[in-house]
Amino acid sequence: QWLRDGETISKATKSSYKLTSADDGKLITVRVTGKLSGYATVAKESTATVKVLKTAIPAISGTFGTGNQLTVTPGAWTAGTTLTQQWYANGKLLTGETGETLLLTPAHVGKKITVKVTGELADHPTATTTSKTSAKVLRVGAVTAQGTMVEGSTLKASSGTWTKKTKLS
């Protein structure tokens, strides 16, 4: 029988228990009861865990092209949790990229981006969650409009250099 702050958790009687939002900030224990004919029934309870930490999967927002900035939204964690982040490209650590944003550069072209968020809170376990993997980063050219900005003049667009085989319109 699984217990939350010493109270039984309804229908939580299997050898494993999946934590829920109701467990946030609570101490979890498990009680095992042994019965055998001719013997006394004995129950033994585990030592209390550290308090359960509510975590969330971080989300990345922004446009996955060079020159653009990505932003991490860590999601809802237990109140008071200190969060840190670390950015990755193709699963490899991006040294020094620990802020809430990441500026995409030519070094990121063709790579998929993820971010890991780590949460720390006293009397709780430290936890790390990882965002979904992004699409590959596209090289985006320096787009310009050229010409004389006078009515009747013709302007010309220049797309700059993009990732090979990118269809431009």
Side-chain angles (χ1 to χ4, degrees):
Q1 173 67 62
W2 291 93
L3 302 107
R4 178 186 303 121
D5 280 348
E7 301 293 324
T8 60
I9 301 171
S10 178
K11 299 180 183 177
T13 57
K14 296 186 178 181
S15 62
S16 63
Y17 171 69
K18 185 172 182 173
L19 296 169
T20 69
S21 59
D23 302 316
D24 183 23
K26 308 289 192 233
L27 294 172
I28 304 298
T29 56
V30 63
R31 181 185 311 127
V32 176
T33 303
K35 296 180 183 181
L36 180 61
S37 179
Y39 291 83
T41 298
V42 176
K44 178 80 174 180
E45 194 168 315
S46 69
T47 303
T49 62
V50 292
K51 293 179 181 177
V52 176
L53 181 70
K54 179 180 180 181
T55 64
I57 302 299
I60 300 173
S61 59
T63 303
F64 293 88
T66 54
N68 293 311
Q69 182 172 280
L70 302 179
T71 302
V72 60
T73 303
W77 291 62
T78 301
T81 303
T82 300
L83 301 175
T84 56
Q85 43 285 317
Q86 175 63 62
W87 293 89
Y88 294 80
N90 283 353
K92 293 183 181 175
L93 179 117
L94 293 173
T95 303
E97 296 295 351
T98 58
E100 294 177 1
T101 61
L102 174 67
L103 179 63
L104 296 174
T105 69
H108 302 121
V109 171
K111 296 178 180 170
K112 295 180 179 186
I113 304 297
T114 54
V115 62
K116 290 184 180 183
V117 174
T118 299
E120 295 184 68
L121 181 62
D123 299 323
H124 292 72
T126 297
T128 300
T129 58
T130 305
S131 69
K132 291 182 180 178
T133 303
S134 75
K136 291 179 182 178
V137 174
L138 186 70
R139 178 182 311 279
V140 177
V143 177
T144 59
Q146 300 166 340
T148 304
M149 298 297 170
V150 175
E151 185 177 328
S153 295
T154 301
L155 301 178
K156 183 178 179 186
S158 175
S159 60
T161 304
W162 291 64
T163 300
K164 289 182 182 180
K165 299 184 181 180
T166 301
K167 293 182 181 180
L168 304 175
S169 58

